[in-house]
Amino acid sequence: MSSSGVEQGVVVADSEPPRGNRSRYAFACAILASMTSIILGYDIGVMSGAAIFIKDDLKLSDVQLEILMGILNIYSLIGSGAAGRTSDWIGRRFTIVLAGAFFFCGALLMGFATNYPFIMVGRFVAGIGVGYAMMIAPVYTAEVAPASSRGFLSSFPEIFINIGILLGYVSNYFFSKLPEHLGWRFMLGVGAVPSVFLAIGVLAMPESPRWLVLQGRLGDAFKVLDKTSNTKEEAITRLDDIKRAAGIPDDMTDDVIVVPNKKSAGKGVWKDLLVRPTPSVRHILIACLGIHFAQQASGIDAVVLYSPTIFSKAGLKSKNDQLLATVAVGVVKTLFIVVGTCVVDRFGRRALLLTSMGGMFLSLTALGTSLTVIDRNPGQTLKWAIGLAVTTVMTFVATFSIGAGPVTWVYCSEIFPVRLRAQGASLGVMLNRLMSGIIGMTFLSLSKGLTIGGAFLLFAGVAAAAWVFFFTFLPETRGMPLEEMESLFGSYTANKKKNSVSKDNEVVDEQ
């Protein structure tokens, strides 16, 4: 190969497709990568309604039921823990295929389950797929997208999760008309179908350009960047930035090179991330773990998984009414996630997170109060309290979806340095799934111990603490190239100027 292979290959532009087509190409890549999230969302959403019928059909206790509901997220820790190294080893693209394969097998096992242990095996297999999917989809999208639309495109996984949740709720409603022993099996088994489309669609996806650079495949990386950048100059700049972040000298421009001190398989990454992190990396890690903890500990999965139970406590007695209200939750959640996605690059990550968490605090406080009033007045039909409870469930999922839902994945997929991104993002996903599993597996018991109103007031307290954390620790990242993101962190504050000064001081100290 000519030493100028990459640089010379970029000057021929006569037969290029219009740049608008290239924006659509990045858009298509994000959609295909996010297909895993539809399957993930379906698995989460469908269980909320299926659980009603599984409990009756398999004669489960409350403890068995809440374990069944939440264990998917505990099992996903295996996939989350393995996803970083797997995606560095086989690439982001084939990691998405692997996630789809786990989803397919898990859905079939759950659909054909005849007893509690059998369905738990299916949850185990599907859970591994969840762990892989929740890490790889936002990371792949962030690495393919140009900076100008990265927030919008990186929100796609969260949009598709919510579409999947909504489809799960709709599936619950329609399959509930079947005999009890068949209905829940169809609800769960149908989740295998999207996996087939994912396997076909992934054939049209390119590999992540940042992964290609780490493998020394500069020519292939530039081809992807050229197709997904707004201008050719931007593609060249992005390639140079990635090379610099990966420690590749500027004068190495062959299409295929040997990467100096190659660590693409994750060697040494955990030490740089956990044992001896720089101040900026430590700040990034705290920010990532904190935002993931807050997203789940504020109770969103309690609402997603137990909507029928919550509506039952709020005064909706028939299963049909509970499932219809749950579908409404899915519609609201999906609509507002689209709104959040459309404005994340306009208003920024920080503003949406603060607005979202503030709205969640108010909604949770009102929801907890109304449920407490209903609980303390048994036998009375308090229409105002019932109306307030149902309304605040909707406002809670709306305010969550406009910020904390999509921005968590956007923020954590973009802030890590390129060599630490896969493993760093996987740590965030592991904490996210752990907290989700804890909430899912303890909510019924928590509701009995504190009352259901008390449980939501506890979540409100978490939301208040999260707002303070976001305000204090999280700097704005909108519009920053991924390779320059580290300069925003280091002083453990949300102040960009302080962080930049801290970063400069780091460099001076090192010299």
Side-chain angles (χ1 to χ4, degrees):
M1 291 287 178
S2 165
S3 63
S4 59
V6 173
E7 300 297 335
Q8 289 181 355
V10 302
V11 298
V12 181
D14 295 338
S15 60
E16 287 185 340
R19 283 288 154 181
N21 291 340
R22 293 163 190 260
S23 298
R24 287 194 289 271
Y25 185 78
F27 185 86
C29 290
I31 288 178
L32 288 172
S34 301
M35 278 290 293
T36 56
S37 301
I38 285 188
I39 310 168
L40 161 62
Y42 184 87
D43 276 1
I44 294 171
V46 77
M47 188 55 74
S48 68
I52 302 172
F53 306 99
I54 293 172
K55 181 180 181 180
D56 293 340
D57 189 32
L58 300 183
K59 305 297 187 290
L60 304 184
S61 66
D62 281 348
V63 173
Q64 286 178 310
L65 183 64
E66 63 183 358
I67 290 175
L68 177 66
M69 299 286 274
I71 199 68
L72 181 81
N73 296 301
I74 303 300
Y75 290 151
S76 74
L77 296 177
I78 299 171
S80 299
R85 192 175 184 99
T86 302
S87 66
D88 281 346
W89 179 39
I90 65 175
R92 310 328 192 201
R93 183 171 174 246
F94 287 109
T95 304
I96 292 173
V97 176
L98 186 61
F102 277 111
F103 280 131
F104 180 81
C105 295
L108 289 182
L109 286 169
M110 287 189 288
F112 286 105
T114 55
N115 52 45
Y116 187 67
F118 196 158
I119 199 171
M120 288 293 281
V121 171
R123 294 291 272 176
F124 173 75
V125 175
I128 295 176
V130 167
Y132 274 107
M134 295 202 78
M135 190 287 287
I136 197 59
V139 166
Y140 174 87
T141 305
E143 293 186 342
V144 169
S148 60
S149 58
R150 189 177 61 241
F152 172 68
L153 295 178
S154 295
S155 297
F156 274 27
E158 185 68 15
I159 291 179
F160 280 66
I161 286 175
N162 282 275
I163 292 173
I165 289 173
L166 177 58
L167 291 175
Y169 289 162
V170 172
S171 171
N172 288 335
Y173 181 72
F174 284 104
F175 286 124
S176 66
K177 314 301 181 186
L178 295 176
E180 184 177 75
H181 69 286
L182 290 177
W184 67 264
R185 289 183 169 87
F186 274 96
M187 293 174 191
L188 300 179
V190 164
V193 176
S195 303
V196 178
F197 292 102
L198 174 65
I200 297 171
V202 80
L203 299 176
M205 291 169 56
E207 185 49 85
S208 158
R210 286 166 176 82
W211 184 82
L212 291 171
V213 168
L214 289 173
Q215 307 308 305
R217 294 164 58 183
L218 302 187
D220 290 337
F222 181 77
K223 290 177 183 177
V224 179
L225 290 169
D226 191 37
K227 289 180 178 180
T228 58
S229 298
N230 295 317
T231 65
K232 187 170 287 294
E233 291 73 20
E234 181 185 359
I236 297 171
T237 301
R238 288 173 70 189
L239 180 61
D240 290 342
D241 288 343
I242 297 168
K243 286 170 60 180
R244 196 172 302 115
I248 298 173
D250 291 339
D251 59 359
M252 297 185 72
T253 58
D254 282 356
D255 285 352
V256 179
I257 65 169
V258 176
V259 179
N261 301 317
K262 181 177 178 182
K263 295 183 179 180
S264 61
K267 298 177 182 177
V269 168
W270 292 115
K271 183 176 75 172
D272 295 344
L273 193 61
L274 299 175
V275 181
R276 295 178 182 174
T278 62
S280 56
V281 169
R282 188 180 294 112
H283 184 185
I284 288 170
L285 186 61
I286 291 171
C288 176
L289 296 180
I291 193 172
H292 273 293
F293 175 86
Q295 189 203 50
Q296 290 300 327
S298 53
I300 186 61
D301 271 12
V303 173
V304 171
L305 290 173
Y306 294 102
S307 287
T309 302
I310 295 167
F311 289 129
S312 174
K313 295 287 186 181
L316 302 181
K317 298 305 180 185
S318 78
K319 288 182 179 179
N320 191 65
D321 289 345
Q322 294 164 18
L323 292 176
L324 276 176
T326 301
V327 170
V329 169
V331 171
V332 170
K333 201 168 185 295
T334 303
L335 288 176
F336 277 87
I337 210 81
V338 173
V339 173
T341 297
C342 291
V343 300
V344 67
D345 284 318
R346 178 178 299 180
F347 297 112
R349 287 61 159 152
R350 180 177 161 84
L352 287 184
L353 281 172
L354 292 173
T355 302
S356 172
M357 198 56 68
M360 289 164 62
F361 166 73
L362 294 175
S363 298
L364 286 166
T365 301
L367 176 59
T369 302
S370 60
L371 289 173
T372 299
V373 170
I374 293 170
D375 194 47
R376 290 183 178 180
N377 292 275
Q380 297 185 43
T381 303
L382 302 174
K383 291 185 177 180
W384 69 267
I386 294 172
L388 181 61
V390 173
T391 300
T392 49
V393 167
M394 303 301 175
T395 59
F396 171 65
V397 297
T399 50
F400 172 88
S401 297
I402 207 168
V407 177
T408 296
W409 304 104
V410 173
Y411 200 86
C412 294
S413 66
E414 67 186 6
I415 58 178
F416 284 99
V418 62
R419 199 174 73 82
L420 308 179
R421 186 169 299 127
Q423 280 85 346
S426 71
L427 280 179
V429 174
M430 288 175 69
L431 179 60
N432 187 287
R433 294 299 88 196
L434 177 63
M435 292 310 303
S436 177
I438 290 172
I439 297 297
M441 293 172 65
T442 60
F443 180 71
L444 293 179
S445 299
L446 186 67
S447 297
K448 289 180 179 178
L450 297 178
T451 74
I452 192 167
F456 281 106
L457 290 174
L458 175 63
F459 295 147
V462 174
W467 192 95
V468 175
F469 174 82
F470 293 169
F471 184 82
T472 306
F473 278 89
L474 304 187
E476 180 56 67
T477 61
R478 177 183 56 167
M480 283 290 289
L482 291 181
E483 285 66 38
E484 297 177 19
M485 199 68 71
E486 201 174 347
S487 65
L488 300 177
F489 296 84
S491 68
Y492 306 102
T493 73
N495 189 301
K496 178 177 178 178
K497 291 182 179 179
K498 286 184 180 180
N499 289 322
S500 298
V501 170
S502 174
K503 183 66 178 177
D504 292 340
N505 290 339
E506 264 185 63
V507 175
V508 171
D509 292 342
E510 288 173 2
Q511 293 175 342

mmCIF file of all heavy atoms in Angstrom, residues 5 172 174 391 426:
data_model
loop_
_atom_site.group_PDB
_atom_site.id
_atom_site.type_symbol
_atom_site.label_atom_id
_atom_site.label_comp_id
_atom_site.label_asym_id
_atom_site.label_seq_id
_atom_site.Cartn_x
_atom_site.Cartn_y
_atom_site.Cartn_z
ATOM 1 N N GLY A 5 -2.020 6.260 1.159
ATOM 2 C CA GLY A 5 -3.247 5.593 0.731
ATOM 3 C C GLY A 5 -4.500 6.250 1.245
ATOM 4 O O GLY A 5 -5.430 6.516 0.498
ATOM 5 N N ASN A 172 -49.530 -7.797 25.165
ATOM 6 C CA ASN A 172 -50.248 -8.243 26.368
ATOM 7 C C ASN A 172 -51.757 -8.103 26.191
ATOM 8 O O ASN A 172 -52.529 -9.022 26.510
ATOM 9 C CB ASN A 172 -49.820 -7.406 27.580
ATOM 10 C CG ASN A 172 -48.428 -7.726 28.054
ATOM 11 O OD1 ASN A 172 -47.926 -8.812 27.829
ATOM 12 N ND2 ASN A 172 -47.793 -6.779 28.707
ATOM 13 N N PHE A 174 -53.669 -7.856 23.452
ATOM 14 C CA PHE A 174 -54.312 -8.692 22.431
ATOM 15 C C PHE A 174 -54.224 -10.185 22.750
ATOM 16 O O PHE A 174 -55.199 -10.918 22.598
ATOM 17 C CB PHE A 174 -53.726 -8.401 21.055
ATOM 18 C CG PHE A 174 -54.213 -7.115 20.460
ATOM 19 C CD1 PHE A 174 -53.405 -5.993 20.428
ATOM 20 C CD2 PHE A 174 -55.508 -7.001 19.961
ATOM 21 C CE1 PHE A 174 -53.859 -4.793 19.901
ATOM 22 C CE2 PHE A 174 -55.980 -5.809 19.430
ATOM 23 C CZ PHE A 174 -55.143 -4.705 19.400
ATOM 24 N N THR A 391 -52.596 10.128 36.614
ATOM 25 C CA THR A 391 -51.966 11.245 35.896
ATOM 26 C C THR A 391 -50.478 11.343 36.199
ATOM 27 O O THR A 391 -49.657 11.545 35.293
ATOM 28 C CB THR A 391 -52.647 12.579 36.272
ATOM 29 O OG1 THR A 391 -54.028 12.509 35.925
ATOM 30 C CG2 THR A 391 -52.000 13.746 35.545
ATOM 31 N N SER A 426 -19.544 -0.513 29.477
ATOM 32 C CA SER A 426 -20.081 -1.774 30.001
ATOM 33 C C SER A 426 -20.212 -1.720 31.524
ATOM 34 O O SER A 426 -21.139 -2.303 32.091
ATOM 35 C CB SER A 426 -19.200 -2.962 29.583
ATOM 36 O OG SER A 426 -17.958 -2.959 30.256
#
